[in-house]
Amino acid sequence: MTTLPLRRSPALLSLAAALLLAAPAAVAATPPAPSPAALSTVHGHPSPPADTGRQVQRFKDQLARSGFVSQSGSAAVFDLNRRYCEGALFSGLWPNLQSPYIVTNMPEVPGQAPNTNPPVTWRLRQDEAVVLIGTTPPPEEYFSFDLTNVKGSLHTGPVLWTAVGDPVNNKTVRTAGPSPFNRPFALVITGNGRTRSEVGKMLRASGLGDATSNMTIPPAMYRLGLGKGADQFLLGMRTVAPAPGYEKALEAYRAAPPFQVLRVRPQSDSGNQTKPVYAPDPLPVPPLRVSGTGATELDLNPSLKLLRRRIIEAHPGYDVHDDVVQRGFEESNPGLQDHLITNPPITGVDGLSNDADDPISRDFSLPDGSFVVTYGTNHVATGQASYSSVTVNADPHAAVAMAAQGNRELEGSANDYISDHPDAEKLYAWTFSRAGDSGPSGPHVTTLPSTDTSFCAQYGTDRPVDTSTLRVVARAYMQPETATRPALSSLLLDRLLIFTPKKK
């Protein structure tokens, strides 16, 4: 049994000064996928991250020779639960506990209009670029660099938060070597064609030409510039589910992300750094990867119905209520055009949607003495995703995460109910319980804290969270064949059975 410990004693609230957050992004050409032999070699022989210090210095030297200036940024993990409890965020925005986000912090250009959410959101001069140089994560099921547009204050809300094209993920990233893992890489973000060309030349001279991925901020959709009316962007990174033996390596990667963050631009002779030097050269909107292969999970529907019946039969003495997750977020491009804000409990637009399907349940009450069984298809076992999970979130407005289980933990859990069925290994059934000793037990049960627990006490604050009202998010990241999210129409939607004691 998995137990989620939380302290009950509330502490004083300390407000955070910095605002941080993360979500998805965009990519240029897709390189060929690494061969199985290359991946097996990487997985079988742990290797330390490559040192890219020499390439970084060469690139800086090239910048100076080419009349460019640069400012250094930074990157660090950002805990959405903690920042919500500390008062820095208006909502936790349904975080994924299994993938703590790495967020980049960017300095402002002298003289620019102040950013709304410094240092994590930033404006970009129309001839500027953001450049990352470093090493990709160790072997894992999924990682991505995610570029988003954020309109509004993360401190007060609400926000319009949309993905800017497709993320660069472990299927599409370009690296110096046959593997996407533990290899040198460069990432360039700009909306100006001349700037991309000039920065690309400098990276080639630095030894990273074949290891460079491009992400586009298309001026047709977004307003570049450093004035008050310009759009603001956020660059984050997801890392999740390390390969066996690489758990400590991923912890070390998250603790000290091994990449340099730079904002670069051609230097102005006038000294006014807010004025572009290059004429507008707008890059076109890049093509989006198409989700779905036509294959579906729908033939498993009879097996799913059997699983539901067996779960109910296994828990007599309880009233049971059915629910099913539903599309929670509009896709980013339609959402941007329709200005669909996110303001929990309203979902709106999710910046993660360009590389993940993450349907969400309705809010439901789970009082003490009750439990909920989440069940459905294991989307990795069916081939529809590279990583999938279920997360329990608390409080309609706070939307903080209380517990999560990924596809590896979910594997085999349906055998508790349908071990006699050939489809059992493609399904899962996981229990999140407040029923105590009288409720379900075993390796596929997570014990949730009671409803009178102070959620934020674990972070040393007393910001209130309604832990009695829950929501479940079901994630499915990156279909292997398409390198993007599966088509929602191809999935059997995850389901919930909410068990409450029968009234006497």
Side-chain angles (χ1 to χ4, degrees):
M1 179 182 294
T2 305
T3 303
L4 181 69
L6 289 177
R7 298 200 306 268
R8 290 173 177 266
S9 56
L12 294 176
L13 175 66
S14 68
L15 294 179
L19 289 170
L20 287 155
L21 203 52
V27 67
T30 299
S35 68
L39 288 179
S40 64
T41 299
V42 173
H43 283 219
H45 299 87
S47 58
D51 182 7
T52 56
R54 185 163 52 181
Q55 287 98 327
V56 170
Q57 188 56 54
R58 286 177 177 172
F59 180 65
K60 289 182 176 180
D61 292 343
Q62 290 292 326
L63 288 171
R65 294 192 191 103
S66 302
F68 273 62
V69 295
S70 67
Q71 292 174 275
S72 294
S74 62
V77 162
F78 187 68
D79 185 334
L80 302 184
N81 280 351
R82 176 183 292 278
R83 293 301 182 184
Y84 174 79
C85 286
E86 291 174 340
L89 297 176
F90 80 103
S91 172
L93 294 169
W94 309 286
N96 183 0
L97 288 177
Q98 295 196 325
S99 178
Y101 303 125
I102 297 172
V103 181
T104 56
N105 305 310
M106 206 73 68
E108 294 183 351
V109 174
Q112 73 159 79
N115 296 326
T116 305
N117 306 291
V120 297
T121 65
W122 35 270
R123 309 177 199 273
L124 196 69
R125 205 174 83 181
Q126 69 88 3
D127 59 350
E128 274 191 301
V130 170
V131 180
L132 271 64
I133 299 175
T135 306
T136 54
E140 56 189 321
E141 290 182 351
Y142 179 81
F143 73 77
S144 65
F145 295 94
D146 305 310
L147 180 65
T148 53
N149 171 229
V150 180
K151 297 178 185 290
S153 168
L154 297 171
H155 180 61
T156 61
V159 292
L160 173 63
W161 192 9
T162 58
V164 182
D166 285 319
V168 171
N169 59 41
N170 52 287
K171 283 279 188 178
T172 64
V173 69
R174 296 183 180 275
T175 65
S179 167
F181 306 113
N182 274 346
R183 303 305 303 159
F185 80 96
L187 182 67
V188 179
I189 302 169
T190 187
N192 186 291
R194 181 178 175 185
T195 299
R196 174 179 287 178
S197 177
E198 294 298 324
V199 171
K201 291 177 185 177
M202 289 184 267
L203 287 169
R204 285 192 293 275
S206 305
L208 292 168
D210 293 334
T212 298
S213 301
N214 288 310
M215 302 174 79
T216 302
I217 302 177
M221 294 294 291
Y222 299 97
R223 181 179 296 179
L224 291 165
L226 299 176
K228 189 175 181 180
D231 286 329
Q232 297 180 56
F233 304 93
L234 183 152
L235 179 64
M237 184 182 189
R238 290 200 222 76
T239 59
V240 66
Y246 289 87
E247 294 83 2
K248 294 294 184 183
L250 182 55
E251 288 180 14
Y253 190 95
R254 290 168 174 169
F259 49 82
Q260 176 79 50
V261 183
L262 298 167
R263 67 181 304 163
V264 304
R265 57 189 173 274
Q267 187 168 15
S268 172
D269 293 334
S270 69
N272 181 357
Q273 296 192 52
T274 65
K275 184 178 179 180
V277 174
Y278 292 168
D281 185 9
L283 287 165
V285 178
L288 292 173
R289 296 190 289 270
V290 179
S291 62
T293 63
T296 79
E297 302 173 339
L298 303 184
D299 279 333
L300 293 171
N301 194 42
S303 304
L304 195 63
K305 291 180 178 180
L306 172 63
L307 178 58
R308 174 189 178 275
R309 187 169 72 248
R310 294 276 183 89
I311 294 170
I312 294 173
E313 290 171 351
H315 302 297
Y318 291 88
D319 290 325
V320 60
H321 172 71
D322 284 278
D323 201 359
V324 61
V325 299
Q326 55 190 308
R327 181 187 291 278
F329 306 96
E330 179 55 272
E331 293 185 1
S332 287
N333 288 340
L336 175 66
Q337 295 170 76
D338 204 19
H339 202 77
L340 297 181
I341 63 170
T342 297
N343 188 20
I346 301 169
T347 47
V349 176
D350 176 27
L352 303 179
S353 63
N354 273 32
D355 218 19
D357 259 324
D358 40 3
I360 191 168
S361 75
R362 289 173 281 264
D363 291 321
F364 62 94
S365 176
L366 194 71
D368 293 335
S370 305
F371 59 94
V372 57
V373 181
T374 61
Y375 70 103
T377 55
N378 185 327
H379 302 307
V380 174
T382 64
Q384 288 288 340
S386 297
Y387 162 79
S388 61
S389 66
V390 288
T391 301
V392 175
N393 297 93
D395 192 311
H397 295 277
V400 293
M402 298 188 71
Q405 299 294 337
N407 54 275
R408 291 180 185 172
E409 296 84 14
L410 300 176
E411 184 178 348
S413 58
N415 283 320
D416 293 349
Y417 304 97
I418 56 169
S419 59
D420 58 335
H421 197 282
D423 289 333
E425 295 302 326
K426 295 180 181 179
L427 305 176
Y428 82 89
W430 196 278
T431 300
F432 297 92
S433 177
R434 283 193 171 127
D437 294 339
S438 62
S441 62
H444 304 130
V445 178
T446 296
T447 299
L448 297 178
S450 62
T451 56
D452 63 350
T453 299
S454 172
F455 179 87
C456 286
Q458 62 184 315
Y459 302 108
T461 78
D462 61 359
R463 192 173 188 182
V465 172
D466 172 15
T467 58
S468 67
T469 304
L470 306 181
R471 221 171 191 182
V472 169
V473 178
R475 290 178 168 88
Y477 288 173
M478 197 181 69
Q479 190 174 45
E481 292 87 349
T482 62
T484 189
R485 66 189 183 278
L488 190 60
S489 59
S490 71
L491 304 181
L492 278 174
L493 298 176
D494 298 65
R495 289 160 165 78
L496 288 69
L497 289 169
I498 304 161
F499 291 87
T500 55
K502 287 186 177 181
K503 296 180 180 179
K504 297 179 180 180

